[in-house]
Amino acid sequence: MTMLTESMTFIIPGELNAASPPEKRGIRRDHVKLLSIDRKTGRSEHTSFYRIDQYLKEGDLLVLNNSRTIPAILKGSLKRSFHTIEDAVEVRLAHRKNGWVWEALIVSEKMKKGDRLVFSDFLAAEIIFLDAKKPLQTITFNLKGTDLWNAIYQLGEPVRYEYVKLPWELEYYQTVYASVPGSVEMPSAGRAFSWELLFRLQEKGVKIAYLQLHTGLSYYLDDKWKPDPSGNHEEYFIPEKTLQSVLKAKSAGGRVIAVGTTVVRALETAAITRNLKGWTNLYVHSDFKLNMTNGIITGLHEPEASHLDMLSAFLPKEKLFKAYHEAVRENYLWHEFGDMNLIV
């Protein structure tokens, strides 16, 4: 197996990194660009996302991830016994293990097991497992359940990377249909959908179904931590109703189109494990046989991103490479606030 990201190289000019939401650029969220690629021919078409109904037909099923983005960055102090070790420590939540335990990226070189992270007079956490050879550590909060969620929403801020210069409000990191809190980074493939567009698709006979996959951190702020797709465990849940919608669409000859790489991972994991909920570290690549999904709606991915390996399961790398070069020439925007790609 050869990773596509080892051979597919291209340069994204700095001005093509979307630094602001479309709404702040003067356009509606469903008016971003759309690069449509035909799986059979590799032919590309350039249009606007609100015209995606031209590429979908009655009987198709869109599966969306309705996980809601949380403000996953917490800032506080690092304490040992009664002493302050560091006044300003950033903590990036990565994966929720249960109602009060999380894996997190702790931006500190002084931390030790047993240290406390104090975020406010009502929220604190203890480092209960630490491994210097790994980027993520395990912390347990002094609150749990709804109380912990409320504290995180009160104190936290959304994860953003260097290409996003301004601290946009949390609502800009949500899809319109997001309802179940849990993702530390936005499931951004669905961001371009408006309710108006979803209703128009349903009027055409396109079916809609939902699942949840809570996204983890995609980057650990240090290049020494190389991304490992098989090491990325994310929690998912597929309602029985959604599974039945998928099976019904496939039996009737319709296409199941995943809105995002998260949906592909959840559906294809369920096909392998026969489990509708759990944790997945599924790595989809060019040699992977897709069982549940016929197409994908996604953003544009960086050369080193494992998401490109997933796209090569839908489209031969030569055709994908050609389409991405077209996207650069046509000034498509990358990342969570950028333009969109349909492969079907």
Side-chain angles (χ1 to χ4, degrees):
M1 178 187 68
T2 300
M3 291 181 65
L4 174 61
T5 50
E6 293 177 355
S7 57
M8 183 169 173
T9 58
F10 55 93
I11 297 175
I12 306 171
E15 63 270 19
L16 298 187
N17 292 317
S20 58
E23 300 92 322
K24 291 295 184 179
R25 304 197 300 266
I27 61 174
R28 290 174 41 163
R29 64 170 60 210
D30 59 4
H31 278 52
V32 296
K33 292 180 180 179
L34 175 67
L35 169 64
S36 175
I37 312 174
D38 187 294
R39 285 186 68 182
K40 292 182 179 179
T41 66
R43 182 172 178 269
S44 299
E45 293 186 10
H46 304 279
T47 184
S48 295
F49 189 80
Y50 72 90
R51 291 178 175 151
I52 197 172
D53 57 323
Q54 298 175 6
Y55 301 94
L56 304 178
K57 58 188 179 182
E58 183 178 359
D60 286 344
L61 174 70
L62 285 181
V63 185
L64 304 114
N65 181 6
N66 63 2
S67 177
R68 191 168 181 81
T69 312
I70 67 169
I73 295 180
L74 296 170
K75 295 179 179 179
S77 58
L78 182 70
K79 295 183 181 295
R80 189 171 303 149
S81 298
F82 297 101
H83 304 287
T84 298
I85 306 301
E86 281 188 87
D87 285 324
V89 174
E90 180 175 293
V91 176
R92 296 191 171 205
L93 301 178
H95 302 113
R96 186 174 71 97
K97 308 304 291 184
N98 61 35
W100 61 94
V101 176
W102 281 77
E103 286 185 336
L105 177 68
I106 305 172
V107 187
S108 171
E109 296 181 353
K110 299 179 180 180
M111 60 181 168
K112 293 183 178 180
K113 180 181 177 182
D115 286 351
R116 294 181 70 242
L117 297 157
V118 179
F119 305 108
S120 73
D121 57 358
F122 56 85
L123 183 64
E126 179 183 344
I127 302 172
I128 59 172
F129 182 81
L130 188 149
D131 185 347
K133 296 180 180 180
K134 295 182 178 180
L136 301 180
Q137 314 307 330
T138 306
I139 63 176
T140 179
F141 283 98
N142 63 327
L143 301 175
K144 62 182 179 180
T146 302
D147 291 336
L148 178 56
W149 281 126
N150 289 339
I152 290 172
Y153 272 89
Q154 182 175 341
L155 300 173
E157 59 186 65
V159 170
R160 62 186 174 99
Y161 293 111
E162 67 280 353
Y163 51 84
V164 178
K165 306 302 181 184
L166 298 176
W168 304 111
E169 293 86 351
L170 181 62
E171 284 308 304
Y172 287 113
Y173 291 86
Q174 308 291 3
T175 58
V176 296
Y177 49 80
S179 59
V180 183
S183 285
V184 302
E185 293 184 5
M186 175 173 51
S188 54
R191 192 190 188 282
F193 281 104
S194 62
W195 283 121
E196 178 185 350
L197 178 55
L198 288 170
F199 291 149
R200 193 164 81 240
L201 288 169
Q202 288 176 297
E203 288 176 352
K204 186 173 183 176
V206 176
K207 305 298 183 182
I208 307 290
Y210 298 93
L211 56 73
Q212 293 104 48
L213 184 142
H214 298 311
T215 64
L217 285 177
S218 62
Y219 179 55
Y220 299 136
L221 303 180
D222 191 328
D223 290 337
K224 74 177 181 181
W225 305 117
K226 299 299 182 183
D228 176 10
S230 63
N232 181 26
H233 292 77
E234 294 174 317
E235 188 178 15
Y236 74 94
F237 170 67
I238 303 172
E240 178 66 29
K241 180 180 179 181
T242 295
L243 174 63
Q244 294 305 317
S245 295
V246 170
L247 297 176
K248 182 178 179 180
K250 293 182 75 68
S251 65
R255 299 174 298 182
V256 176
I257 300 167
V259 180
T261 58
T262 59
V263 173
V264 176
R265 292 184 79 203
L267 289 177
E268 298 298 336
T269 296
I272 295 169
T273 66
R274 305 298 179 185
N275 292 322
L276 294 183
K277 64 179 180 179
W279 291 80
T280 178
N281 66 335
L282 184 65
Y283 171 41
V284 178
H285 49 79
S286 59
D287 298 327
F288 186 92
K289 185 180 185 304
L290 296 164
N291 293 296
M292 301 287 273
T293 46
N294 306 107
I296 185 171
I297 296 169
T298 184
L300 296 166
H301 304 291
E302 294 179 301
E304 66 274 16
S306 63
H307 297 91
L308 278 178
D309 295 317
M310 178 183 288
L311 297 192
S312 69
F314 290 90
L315 194 72
K317 70 175 184 179
E318 296 80 10
K319 295 176 180 178
L320 185 60
F321 189 74
K322 178 177 178 291
Y324 261 61
H325 273 278
E326 284 185 24
V328 172
R329 289 197 304 269
E330 295 292 328
N331 294 317
Y332 277 67
L333 297 181
W334 259 252
H335 305 301
E336 65 267 33
F337 295 139
D339 294 314
M340 301 303 299
N341 177 205
L342 167 68
I343 303 175
V344 73

